[in-house]
Amino acid sequence: MMILRGLAVCCILALSACSLVSESEVNVYRPFETHALQAHGRWAFSGRLAVADERESFSASVNWRHLGGRDDIELLGPLAQGRLAISVVDGAVTIDDGENRQEFYGSAEQVLSERLGVVMPVDSLRYWVFGILDPGLQGVELDAGFMQAGWRVTFRDVYKVASDSLPKKINIEKDRTKIKLIVDQWDLS
């Protein structure tokens, strides 16, 4: 339970990291125009995350850094209560709550579900935060987003970053699991 709360907190902090790119808000979702940005191989964002299902709910600040094949996700709980660091690289998932550091093998979604009791499609989220489909899965485009792997992904607001639009508010739902992600700042350097 404490690990789950720490994970949530770390996600919120990750999403609140500073951006090195000027941003302005726009309200139009334009699917599939950010492939080049996502493929860049180096990006980060910070903001806030809320996850709820029939058993659990939590909210956290999130800082997510992507570099090549590695994703580092830090979740920080409200009022700096709890910190959870998750690293995903080459089929290995490391979870560090500040007291224990454990390494697991398998998909990040499976590991987080088994170890933390929360379903988070981490492997696909690295695409979805850019407003694009995970190229490894089939998907269906919708008016304000898409459906993929049983997840309904919708975008409520976007930022204008340089000459591109990037998602700001993302809602992700599957069965009884609901994830809300608000990206406060992007770093595309």
Side-chain angles (χ1 to χ4, degrees):
M1 190 66 137
M2 183 61 120
I3 291 175
L4 181 59
R5 287 189 181 128
L7 174 64
V9 172
C10 291
C11 282
I12 291 175
L13 291 177
L15 291 176
S16 63
C18 295
S19 173
L20 300 177
V21 178
S22 64
E23 303 168 341
S24 62
E25 291 185 44
V26 295
N27 293 319
V28 180
Y29 167 67
R30 295 182 191 99
F32 311 110
E33 67 177 30
T34 57
H35 287 278
L37 291 174
Q38 197 283 333
H40 178 37
R42 182 179 184 148
W43 50 265
F45 69 83
S46 62
R48 295 161 280 157
L49 175 73
V51 178
D53 64 18
E54 65 273 1
R55 296 170 287 138
E56 300 284 339
S57 67
F58 69 88
S59 61
S61 295
V62 61
N63 293 303
W64 187 319
R65 287 172 185 50
H66 176 82
L67 180 58
R70 180 184 181 99
D71 288 282
D72 292 314
I73 305 162
E74 180 183 48
L75 302 173
L76 297 165
L79 303 173
Q81 295 297 312
R83 175 187 172 276
L84 188 65
I86 302 165
S87 293
V88 180
V89 61
D90 296 329
V93 180
T94 304
I95 300 173
D96 184 347
D97 66 3
E99 294 178 13
N100 297 305
R101 184 176 188 274
Q102 299 176 302
E103 189 167 343
F104 305 95
Y105 295 93
S107 75
E109 184 172 350
Q110 178 184 2
V111 169
L112 293 178
S113 178
E114 291 173 0
R115 300 297 172 190
L116 304 178
V118 61
V119 178
M120 292 262 309
V122 173
D123 294 329
S124 293
L125 270 171
R126 69 179 64 143
Y127 297 96
W128 297 350
V129 295
F130 281 88
I132 60 175
L133 291 164
D134 179 337
L137 302 171
Q138 294 290 322
V140 177
E141 192 174 334
L142 305 172
D143 285 340
F146 47 80
M147 290 281 298
Q148 193 167 41
W151 293 93
R152 179 182 182 93
V153 182
T154 56
F155 304 93
R156 292 191 20 221
D157 283 321
V158 295
Y159 276 120
K160 187 73 173 172
V161 180
S163 63
D164 298 292
S165 295
L166 292 171
K168 178 179 180 179
K169 293 181 181 178
I170 306 166
N171 291 324
I172 304 166
E173 296 182 30
K174 180 178 184 180
D175 301 325
R176 294 180 184 215
T177 301
K178 295 181 181 185
I179 302 170
K180 291 185 180 186
L181 177 62
I182 298 173
V183 178
D184 293 320
Q185 295 187 334
W186 282 96
D187 179 353
L188 303 174
S189 59

